[in-house]
Amino acid sequence: MADVSGSRSAALMARADAHTMKTYGRYPIALVRGEGVRCWDADGKEYLDFLGGIAVNVLGHAHPALVSAIADQAARLIHCSNLYYSEPMAELAELLTQHGGLDRVFFCNSGAEANEGAIKLARKYQWRKGLKAKNRIVSLTHSFHGRTLATVTATAKPAIQEGFGPLPEGFDYVEAGDVAALRAAVTDRTAAVIVEPVQGEGGVRPLAREFLEAARAICDERGALLIFDEIQCGMGRVGHLFAYQAFGVKPDILTLAKGLGGGVPIGAVCATEEAARGFAPGDHGTTFGGSPLACAAALATVKTLLSEDLPARAAAMGEYLLAGLRRLQAKHPGLVKEVRGMGLMLGIELTRPARPVLEKCHELGLLVNVTADTVVRLLPPYIITAADCDRALEILDQALAAVGSAG
Ligand SMILES: *Cc1c(COP(=O)(O)O)cnc(C)c1O
Protein backbone atom coordinates (compact mmCIF):
# COMPACT_ATOMS: atom_id res chain seq x y z
CA MET A 1 0.00 0.00 0.00
CA ALA A 2 0.95 3.62 -0.39
CA ASP A 3 2.65 5.12 2.63
CA VAL A 4 0.05 7.31 4.28
CA SER A 5 1.79 7.84 7.62
CA GLY A 6 1.89 11.49 8.64
CA SER A 7 -0.99 12.36 6.31
CA ARG A 8 -4.46 13.69 7.12
CA SER A 9 -5.79 10.25 6.21
CA ALA A 10 -3.49 8.55 8.71
CA ALA A 11 -4.56 10.93 11.48
CA LEU A 12 -8.24 10.26 10.73
CA MET A 13 -7.71 6.48 10.71
CA ALA A 14 -5.85 6.56 14.03
CA ARG A 15 -8.67 8.53 15.69
CA ALA A 16 -11.32 6.11 14.41
CA ASP A 17 -9.31 3.04 15.39
CA ALA A 18 -8.76 4.38 18.91
CA HIS A 19 -12.46 4.59 19.78
CA THR A 20 -14.52 2.30 17.54
CA MET A 21 -15.07 -1.44 17.92
CA LYS A 22 -12.81 -3.65 15.89
CA THR A 23 -15.56 -5.10 13.74
CA TYR A 24 -14.08 -4.20 10.36
CA GLY A 25 -10.85 -4.91 8.54
CA ARG A 26 -11.08 -1.45 6.99
CA TYR A 27 -8.94 -0.50 4.02
CA PRO A 28 -6.45 2.29 4.81
CA ILE A 29 -8.43 4.93 2.90
CA ALA A 30 -10.33 7.83 4.51
CA LEU A 31 -12.88 9.33 2.14
CA VAL A 32 -14.16 12.88 2.46
CA ARG A 33 -16.03 13.77 -0.75
CA GLY A 34 -17.60 12.30 -3.86
CA GLU A 35 -19.06 13.46 -7.16
CA GLY A 36 -20.53 11.11 -9.76
CA VAL A 37 -18.33 8.02 -10.07
CA ARG A 38 -15.34 9.73 -8.44
CA CYS A 39 -14.40 10.34 -4.81
CA TRP A 40 -11.48 11.80 -2.92
CA ASP A 41 -9.61 10.93 0.27
CA ALA A 42 -8.53 13.27 3.06
CA ASP A 43 -5.26 13.99 1.22
CA GLY A 44 -6.93 14.80 -2.09
CA LYS A 45 -6.17 11.51 -3.86
CA GLU A 46 -8.83 10.72 -6.48
CA TYR A 47 -10.51 7.32 -6.84
CA LEU A 48 -12.77 5.86 -9.49
CA ASP A 49 -15.53 4.30 -7.38
CA PHE A 50 -16.51 0.92 -8.82
CA LEU A 51 -17.88 -0.37 -5.52
CA GLY A 52 -20.45 2.36 -4.84
CA GLY A 53 -20.46 1.83 -1.07
CA ILE A 54 -21.29 -1.87 -1.72
CA ALA A 55 -24.08 -1.50 -4.28
CA VAL A 56 -25.65 1.45 -2.44
CA ASN A 57 -24.73 4.58 -4.39
CA VAL A 58 -26.66 3.59 -7.52
CA LEU A 59 -26.79 7.22 -8.77
CA GLY A 60 -23.14 7.85 -7.89
CA HIS A 61 -22.06 10.49 -5.38
CA ALA A 62 -23.87 13.81 -4.84
CA HIS A 63 -26.52 13.30 -7.54
CA PRO A 64 -28.37 16.66 -7.69
CA ALA A 65 -31.86 15.08 -7.60
CA LEU A 66 -30.99 13.11 -4.46
CA VAL A 67 -29.17 15.98 -2.76
CA SER A 68 -32.06 18.42 -3.24
CA ALA A 69 -34.71 15.87 -2.22
CA ILE A 70 -32.84 15.23 1.05
CA ALA A 71 -32.30 18.95 1.72
CA ASP A 72 -35.94 19.86 0.97
CA GLN A 73 -37.35 17.06 3.11
CA ALA A 74 -34.92 17.78 5.97
CA ALA A 75 -36.20 21.35 6.10
CA ARG A 76 -39.82 20.12 6.14
CA LEU A 77 -40.07 16.97 8.32
CA ILE A 78 -37.25 14.51 9.05
CA HIS A 79 -39.01 12.05 11.31
CA CYS A 80 -42.45 11.58 12.79
CA SER A 81 -42.62 7.83 13.78
CA ASN A 82 -45.03 5.20 12.49
CA LEU A 83 -47.77 6.48 14.77
CA TYR A 84 -48.56 8.94 11.95
CA TYR A 85 -48.91 9.01 8.17
CA SER A 86 -46.52 10.89 5.92
CA GLU A 87 -46.62 11.73 2.23
CA PRO A 88 -43.15 10.46 1.19
CA MET A 89 -43.94 7.01 2.61
CA ALA A 90 -47.33 6.81 0.88
CA GLU A 91 -45.82 7.91 -2.42
CA LEU A 92 -42.84 5.53 -2.19
CA ALA A 93 -45.08 2.55 -1.44
CA GLU A 94 -47.26 3.52 -4.42
CA LEU A 95 -44.27 3.88 -6.75
CA LEU A 96 -42.65 0.57 -5.75
CA THR A 97 -45.85 -1.46 -5.99
CA GLN A 98 -46.76 0.15 -9.35
CA HIS A 99 -43.44 -0.98 -10.83
CA GLY A 100 -43.36 -4.57 -9.62
CA GLY A 101 -42.61 -4.34 -5.90
CA LEU A 102 -45.52 -6.76 -5.24
CA ASP A 103 -48.68 -5.48 -3.45
CA ARG A 104 -47.75 -4.21 0.00
CA VAL A 105 -44.60 -2.77 1.55
CA PHE A 106 -43.19 -2.57 5.08
CA PHE A 107 -40.36 -0.04 5.43
CA CYS A 108 -37.38 -0.58 7.73
CA ASN A 109 -33.79 0.66 7.92
CA SER A 110 -31.40 -1.97 6.60
CA GLY A 111 -31.03 -5.23 4.74
CA ALA A 112 -30.73 -7.47 7.76
CA GLU A 113 -33.82 -5.87 9.22
CA ALA A 114 -35.72 -6.43 5.97
CA ASN A 115 -34.81 -10.14 5.95
CA GLU A 116 -35.60 -10.44 9.66
CA GLY A 117 -39.04 -8.95 8.84
CA ALA A 118 -39.49 -11.33 5.90
CA ILE A 119 -38.73 -14.36 8.09
CA LYS A 120 -41.16 -13.12 10.75
CA LEU A 121 -43.82 -12.47 8.09
CA ALA A 122 -43.45 -15.97 6.59
CA ARG A 123 -43.72 -17.67 9.97
CA LYS A 124 -46.67 -15.58 11.09
CA TYR A 125 -48.43 -16.17 7.75
CA GLN A 126 -48.32 -19.93 8.27
CA TRP A 127 -49.23 -19.56 11.94
CA ARG A 128 -52.31 -17.48 11.09
CA LYS A 129 -53.40 -20.27 8.76
CA GLY A 130 -53.32 -22.57 11.78
CA LEU A 131 -50.10 -24.28 10.63
CA LYS A 132 -48.21 -23.70 13.87
CA ALA A 133 -45.43 -26.20 13.18
CA LYS A 134 -44.83 -24.91 9.67
CA ASN A 135 -42.02 -22.60 10.73
CA ARG A 136 -38.76 -23.78 9.15
CA ILE A 137 -36.74 -21.58 6.79
CA VAL A 138 -34.64 -23.05 3.97
CA SER A 139 -31.63 -21.08 2.68
CA LEU A 140 -28.74 -21.75 0.32
CA THR A 141 -24.99 -22.22 0.55
CA HIS A 142 -22.96 -19.16 -0.57
CA SER A 143 -25.81 -16.98 0.67
CA PHE A 144 -25.65 -13.80 2.72
CA HIS A 145 -28.71 -12.46 4.48
CA GLY A 146 -27.35 -10.12 7.17
CA ARG A 147 -25.87 -9.88 10.66
CA THR A 148 -28.78 -10.13 13.09
CA LEU A 149 -29.12 -13.45 14.92
CA ALA A 150 -31.83 -14.83 12.62
CA THR A 151 -30.15 -13.58 9.46
CA VAL A 152 -26.70 -14.93 10.35
CA THR A 153 -28.47 -18.22 10.96
CA ALA A 154 -30.08 -18.02 7.50
CA THR A 155 -26.62 -17.23 6.09
CA ALA A 156 -25.16 -20.69 5.53
CA LYS A 157 -21.63 -19.72 6.55
CA PRO A 158 -20.19 -21.06 9.83
CA ALA A 159 -17.56 -18.29 10.08
CA ILE A 160 -20.17 -15.55 10.61
CA GLN A 161 -22.19 -17.67 13.09
CA GLU A 162 -19.34 -18.90 15.28
CA GLY A 163 -19.47 -17.79 18.90
CA PHE A 164 -22.93 -16.21 18.67
CA GLY A 165 -24.91 -19.22 19.77
CA PRO A 166 -27.41 -20.32 20.74
CA LEU A 167 -28.76 -19.40 17.31
CA PRO A 168 -32.50 -19.35 16.55
CA GLU A 169 -33.90 -22.73 15.61
CA GLY A 170 -35.63 -23.79 12.45
CA PHE A 171 -33.15 -23.23 9.62
CA ASP A 172 -32.18 -25.77 6.94
CA TYR A 173 -29.51 -25.42 4.25
CA VAL A 174 -29.37 -26.54 0.65
CA GLU A 175 -26.54 -26.43 -1.90
CA ALA A 176 -27.19 -23.47 -4.25
CA GLY A 177 -28.37 -24.68 -7.65
CA ASP A 178 -29.20 -28.24 -6.54
CA VAL A 179 -32.89 -28.76 -7.40
CA ALA A 180 -33.06 -32.32 -6.03
CA ALA A 181 -31.59 -31.21 -2.69
CA LEU A 182 -34.08 -28.34 -2.52
CA ARG A 183 -36.96 -30.70 -3.26
CA ALA A 184 -35.79 -32.97 -0.42
CA ALA A 185 -35.28 -30.14 2.08
CA VAL A 186 -38.63 -28.38 1.58
CA THR A 187 -41.16 -30.29 3.65
CA ASP A 188 -44.61 -29.70 5.11
CA ARG A 189 -42.80 -27.96 7.96
CA THR A 190 -41.15 -25.37 5.68
CA ALA A 191 -42.58 -21.86 6.10
CA ALA A 192 -40.37 -20.28 3.44
CA VAL A 193 -37.37 -20.60 1.16
CA ILE A 194 -35.06 -17.57 1.02
CA VAL A 195 -32.87 -17.03 -2.04
CA GLU A 196 -30.73 -14.26 -3.55
CA PRO A 197 -31.40 -14.50 -7.31
CA VAL A 198 -27.82 -13.32 -7.79
CA GLN A 199 -25.72 -14.22 -4.76
CA GLY A 200 -23.50 -11.30 -3.76
CA GLU A 201 -21.23 -11.75 -0.74
CA GLY A 202 -20.95 -15.45 -1.54
CA GLY A 203 -18.90 -14.62 -4.64
CA VAL A 204 -21.18 -12.97 -7.26
CA ARG A 205 -23.05 -16.07 -8.42
CA PRO A 206 -26.17 -15.69 -10.56
CA LEU A 207 -28.53 -18.61 -9.92
CA ALA A 208 -29.89 -20.46 -12.95
CA ARG A 209 -33.37 -19.48 -14.12
CA GLU A 210 -34.27 -23.19 -14.00
CA PHE A 211 -33.29 -23.36 -10.33
CA LEU A 212 -35.46 -20.34 -9.46
CA GLU A 213 -38.37 -21.79 -11.48
CA ALA A 214 -37.97 -25.08 -9.62
CA ALA A 215 -37.87 -23.22 -6.28
CA ARG A 216 -41.16 -21.51 -7.22
CA ALA A 217 -42.79 -24.83 -8.15
CA ILE A 218 -41.52 -26.65 -5.03
CA CYS A 219 -42.75 -23.82 -2.75
CA ASP A 220 -46.18 -23.94 -4.44
CA GLU A 221 -46.41 -27.72 -4.01
CA ARG A 222 -45.53 -27.52 -0.30
CA GLY A 223 -47.38 -24.33 0.60
CA ALA A 224 -44.10 -22.59 1.46
CA LEU A 225 -43.50 -18.92 0.66
CA LEU A 226 -40.69 -17.94 -1.71
CA ILE A 227 -38.59 -15.01 -0.46
CA PHE A 228 -36.21 -13.25 -2.83
CA ASP A 229 -33.46 -11.33 -1.05
CA GLU A 230 -32.81 -8.59 -3.64
CA ILE A 231 -30.94 -6.39 -1.19
CA GLN A 232 -27.86 -6.39 -3.43
CA CYS A 233 -29.15 -7.46 -6.85
CA GLY A 234 -32.37 -5.40 -6.85
CA MET A 235 -33.04 -1.71 -7.61
CA GLY A 236 -32.02 -1.92 -11.25
CA ARG A 237 -28.61 -3.48 -10.83
CA VAL A 238 -29.23 -6.50 -13.06
CA GLY A 239 -31.14 -4.64 -15.77
CA HIS A 240 -34.65 -4.52 -14.27
CA LEU A 241 -35.92 -2.52 -11.31
CA PHE A 242 -36.37 -5.85 -9.52
CA ALA A 243 -34.11 -8.84 -10.18
CA TYR A 244 -37.03 -11.28 -10.25
CA GLN A 245 -38.24 -9.53 -13.41
CA ALA A 246 -34.98 -10.52 -15.13
CA PHE A 247 -35.63 -14.19 -14.29
CA GLY A 248 -39.39 -14.25 -14.83
CA VAL A 249 -39.99 -15.90 -11.46
CA LYS A 250 -42.23 -14.02 -9.01
CA PRO A 251 -41.61 -14.37 -5.27
CA ASP A 252 -44.20 -14.03 -2.50
CA ILE A 253 -41.90 -11.77 -0.48
CA LEU A 254 -39.14 -9.50 -1.76
CA THR A 255 -36.55 -7.71 0.39
CA LEU A 256 -34.77 -4.50 -0.59
CA ALA A 257 -32.24 -2.18 1.01
CA LYS A 258 -28.77 -1.18 -0.29
CA GLY A 259 -29.60 0.80 -3.48
CA LEU A 260 -33.13 1.78 -2.47
CA GLY A 261 -32.23 5.09 -0.83
CA GLY A 262 -29.28 5.93 -3.07
CA GLY A 263 -27.09 6.07 0.06
CA VAL A 264 -29.60 6.96 2.78
CA PRO A 265 -30.38 3.92 4.98
CA ILE A 266 -33.74 2.35 4.15
CA GLY A 267 -34.95 -1.23 3.74
CA ALA A 268 -38.23 -2.70 2.57
CA VAL A 269 -40.16 -5.95 2.84
CA CYS A 270 -42.49 -6.23 -0.15
CA ALA A 271 -45.17 -8.93 -0.22
CA THR A 272 -48.10 -10.13 -2.25
CA GLU A 273 -51.55 -9.31 -0.88
CA GLU A 274 -51.79 -12.96 0.25
CA ALA A 275 -48.41 -13.16 2.02
CA ALA A 276 -48.96 -9.72 3.62
CA ARG A 277 -51.93 -11.24 5.50
CA GLY A 278 -49.32 -12.64 7.90
CA PHE A 279 -49.01 -9.29 9.68
CA ALA A 280 -51.86 -7.72 11.66
CA PRO A 281 -51.63 -4.44 13.64
CA GLY A 282 -49.09 -4.83 16.45
CA ASP A 283 -47.25 -7.79 14.90
CA HIS A 284 -44.17 -5.94 13.69
CA GLY A 285 -42.78 -2.42 13.75
CA THR A 286 -39.88 0.01 13.90
CA THR A 287 -39.34 3.54 15.19
CA PHE A 288 -37.25 4.86 12.32
CA GLY A 289 -38.46 2.72 9.41
CA GLY A 290 -40.12 4.61 6.57
CA SER A 291 -39.21 8.05 7.92
CA PRO A 292 -40.12 11.02 5.71
CA LEU A 293 -36.39 11.70 5.14
CA ALA A 294 -35.45 8.17 4.11
CA CYS A 295 -38.55 7.81 1.93
CA ALA A 296 -37.93 11.15 0.23
CA ALA A 297 -34.39 9.98 -0.60
CA ALA A 298 -35.70 6.65 -1.90
CA LEU A 299 -38.40 8.43 -3.93
CA ALA A 300 -35.82 10.65 -5.62
CA THR A 301 -33.63 7.59 -6.26
CA VAL A 302 -36.39 5.41 -7.73
CA LYS A 303 -37.87 8.28 -9.80
CA THR A 304 -34.43 8.97 -11.26
CA LEU A 305 -33.84 5.27 -11.97
CA LEU A 306 -37.15 5.17 -13.86
CA SER A 307 -37.05 8.53 -15.66
CA GLU A 308 -33.47 8.02 -16.88
CA ASP A 309 -34.01 4.32 -17.68
CA LEU A 310 -31.00 3.49 -15.51
CA PRO A 311 -31.71 -0.25 -15.13
CA ALA A 312 -31.30 -0.55 -18.93
CA ARG A 313 -28.12 1.47 -18.68
CA ALA A 314 -26.86 -0.89 -15.94
CA ALA A 315 -27.50 -3.81 -18.30
CA ALA A 316 -25.70 -2.13 -21.23
CA MET A 317 -22.72 -0.93 -19.19
CA GLY A 318 -22.59 -4.34 -17.52
CA GLU A 319 -22.25 -6.04 -20.90
CA TYR A 320 -19.54 -3.61 -21.93
CA LEU A 321 -17.62 -4.16 -18.70
CA LEU A 322 -18.05 -7.95 -18.81
CA ALA A 323 -16.66 -8.06 -22.36
CA GLY A 324 -13.61 -6.14 -21.10
CA LEU A 325 -13.24 -8.50 -18.14
CA ARG A 326 -13.33 -11.46 -20.56
CA ARG A 327 -10.41 -9.88 -22.44
CA LEU A 328 -8.53 -9.56 -19.14
CA GLN A 329 -9.25 -13.21 -18.40
CA ALA A 330 -7.77 -14.21 -21.78
CA LYS A 331 -4.75 -12.01 -21.11
CA HIS A 332 -4.11 -13.32 -17.56
CA PRO A 333 -5.14 -16.99 -17.82
CA GLY A 334 -3.00 -18.20 -14.91
CA LEU A 335 -4.50 -15.66 -12.53
CA VAL A 336 -8.14 -15.23 -13.63
CA LYS A 337 -10.21 -18.37 -13.20
CA GLU A 338 -13.61 -17.00 -14.20
CA VAL A 339 -15.47 -13.75 -14.76
CA ARG A 340 -19.21 -13.73 -14.12
CA GLY A 341 -22.21 -11.73 -13.07
CA MET A 342 -25.26 -9.88 -14.34
CA GLY A 343 -25.68 -6.22 -15.16
CA LEU A 344 -23.46 -4.13 -12.93
CA MET A 345 -22.90 -6.91 -10.40
CA LEU A 346 -19.67 -8.50 -11.62
CA GLY A 347 -16.99 -10.71 -10.16
CA ILE A 348 -13.50 -11.76 -11.23
CA GLU A 349 -12.63 -15.05 -9.57
CA LEU A 350 -8.89 -15.54 -9.22
CA THR A 351 -6.90 -18.72 -8.77
CA ARG A 352 -5.57 -17.31 -5.49
CA PRO A 353 -6.54 -14.82 -2.73
CA ALA A 354 -7.50 -11.52 -4.34
CA ARG A 355 -6.26 -9.11 -1.65
CA PRO A 356 -2.98 -8.17 -3.47
CA VAL A 357 -4.94 -7.26 -6.63
CA LEU A 358 -7.25 -5.11 -4.51
CA GLU A 359 -4.32 -3.31 -2.89
CA LYS A 360 -2.81 -2.59 -6.29
CA CYS A 361 -6.18 -1.22 -7.51
CA HIS A 362 -6.36 1.08 -4.51
CA GLU A 363 -2.82 2.31 -5.18
CA LEU A 364 -3.77 3.02 -8.81
CA GLY A 365 -6.99 4.84 -7.79
CA LEU A 366 -9.76 2.27 -8.28
CA LEU A 367 -12.20 1.25 -5.55
CA VAL A 368 -13.41 -2.37 -5.80
CA ASN A 369 -13.50 -5.04 -3.10
CA VAL A 370 -12.89 -8.70 -2.44
CA THR A 371 -15.58 -11.15 -1.46
CA ALA A 372 -15.38 -14.89 -0.76
CA ASP A 373 -11.58 -14.46 -0.55
CA THR A 374 -10.73 -14.96 -4.22
CA VAL A 375 -13.34 -12.80 -6.00
CA VAL A 376 -12.75 -9.17 -6.98
CA ARG A 377 -16.22 -7.60 -6.98
CA LEU A 378 -17.46 -4.63 -9.01
CA LEU A 379 -20.71 -2.85 -8.05
CA PRO A 380 -20.42 0.55 -9.75
CA PRO A 381 -23.12 3.23 -9.95
CA TYR A 382 -25.35 2.99 -13.05
CA ILE A 383 -24.25 6.43 -14.29
CA ILE A 384 -20.83 5.14 -15.39
CA THR A 385 -19.72 5.76 -18.98
CA ALA A 386 -17.78 3.54 -21.38
CA ALA A 387 -14.75 5.77 -20.69
CA ASP A 388 -15.06 5.06 -16.93
CA CYS A 389 -15.18 1.33 -17.71
CA ASP A 390 -12.12 1.62 -19.96
CA ARG A 391 -10.19 3.33 -17.18
CA ALA A 392 -11.26 0.72 -14.59
CA LEU A 393 -10.26 -2.10 -16.98
CA GLU A 394 -6.89 -0.44 -17.56
CA ILE A 395 -6.23 -0.32 -13.80
CA LEU A 396 -7.44 -3.91 -13.30
CA ASP A 397 -5.14 -5.00 -16.14
CA GLN A 398 -2.16 -3.28 -14.49
CA ALA A 399 -3.04 -4.74 -11.08
CA LEU A 400 -3.37 -8.27 -12.48
CA ALA A 401 -0.07 -7.87 -14.36
CA ALA A 402 1.73 -6.64 -11.23
CA VAL A 403 0.39 -9.44 -9.03
CA GLY A 404 0.89 -12.09 -11.73
CA SER A 405 4.51 -11.12 -12.30
CA ALA A 406 5.15 -11.12 -8.53
CA GLY A 407 4.39 -14.89 -8.73
C1 LIG B 1 -25.91 -6.46 2.32
C2 LIG B 1 -26.87 -7.57 2.27
C3 LIG B 1 -27.69 -7.87 3.36
C4 LIG B 1 -27.59 -7.15 4.68
O1 LIG B 1 -27.85 -5.78 4.56
P1 LIG B 1 -27.44 -4.77 5.75
O2 LIG B 1 -28.03 -3.46 5.33
O3 LIG B 1 -25.95 -4.76 5.81
O4 LIG B 1 -28.03 -5.29 7.00
C5 LIG B 1 -28.61 -8.89 3.22
N1 LIG B 1 -28.72 -9.58 2.07
C6 LIG B 1 -27.94 -9.31 1.01
C7 LIG B 1 -28.13 -10.10 -0.25
C8 LIG B 1 -26.98 -8.32 1.07
O5 LIG B 1 -26.19 -8.07 0.03
Side-chain angles (χ1 to χ4, degrees), residues 35-330:
E35 196 183 313
V37 67
R38 285 178 175 72
C39 56
W40 290 268
D41 74 10
D43 297 293
K45 178 171 173 175
E46 182 177 307
Y47 293 89
L48 193 57
D49 185 0
F50 267 51
L51 188 60
I54 321 183
V56 168
N57 302 321
V58 294
L59 304 179
H61 297 282
H63 190 287
L66 181 57
V67 172
S68 67
I70 294 169
D72 289 352
Q73 188 60 48
R76 207 180 307 264
L77 182 69
I78 293 176
H79 172 85
C80 62
S81 91
N82 283 301
L83 297 175
Y84 310 101
Y85 291 89
S86 81
E87 191 176 358
M89 183 174 69
E91 199 180 338
L92 180 61
E94 257 168 26
L95 191 65
L96 290 174
T97 53
Q98 277 164 6
H99 288 88
L102 308 182
D103 303 316
R104 290 188 179 272
V105 189
F106 171 86
F107 291 112
C108 55
N109 309 285
S110 70
E113 216 186 315
N115 284 336
E116 189 85 22
I119 292 166
K120 285 181 72 179
L121 177 62
R123 284 183 169 170
K124 197 83 189 231
Y125 170 80
Q126 306 291 2
W127 185 90
R128 284 196 184 283
K129 282 172 68 176
L131 305 170
K132 303 212 166 154
K134 194 170 176 59
N135 52 26
R136 303 193 67 84
I137 307 293
V138 171
S139 65
L140 304 182
T141 57
H142 308 295
S143 64
F144 180 79
H145 298 298
R147 298 288 197 156
T148 62
L149 281 171
T151 58
V152 294
T153 309
T155 298
K157 187 177 170 189
I160 81 160
Q161 299 174 346
E162 203 173 45
F164 293 116
L167 298 174
E169 284 176 37
F171 290 79
D172 301 302
Y173 309 109
V174 166
E175 182 66 31
D178 187 338
V179 173
L182 185 66
R183 190 173 296 284
V186 178
T187 70
D188 291 341
R189 290 215 40 208
T190 305
V193 174
I194 182 166
V195 169
E196 299 160 76
V198 184
Q199 297 184 311
E201 306 300 310
V204 191
R205 302 161 184 271
L207 294 177
R209 175 191 297 263
E210 297 72 40
F211 179 78
L212 296 176
E213 285 169 352
R216 178 70 275 174
I218 291 166
C219 284
D220 289 343
E221 281 162 34
R222 297 286 184 182
L225 298 177
L226 181 60
I227 304 170
F228 277 2
D229 175 349
E230 297 200 8
I231 288 161
Q232 191 162 144
C233 63
M235 301 321 296
R237 185 155 298 274
V238 303
H240 293 262
L241 190 59
F242 301 105
Y244 82 83
Q245 296 164 329
F247 290 91
V249 176
K250 196 173 167 193
D252 302 293
I253 302 174
L254 174 65
T255 54
L256 303 170
K258 291 198 166 82
L260 177 56
V264 173
I266 180 169
V269 185
C270 305
T272 60
E273 192 67 50
E274 175 62 20
R277 289 155 60 115
F279 282 159
D283 277 348
H284 192 50
T286 155
T287 300
F288 288 119
S291 78
L293 184 73
C295 289
L299 258 179
T301 303
V302 178
K303 282 183 179 170
T304 306
L305 291 179
L306 294 170
S307 68
E308 297 182 9
D309 207 10
L310 289 176
R313 186 184 177 90
M317 283 296 120
E319 265 180 48
Y320 184 83
L321 199 50
L322 185 61
L325 295 179
R326 293 224 161 93
R327 287 195 298 277
L328 293 185
Q329 180 182 13

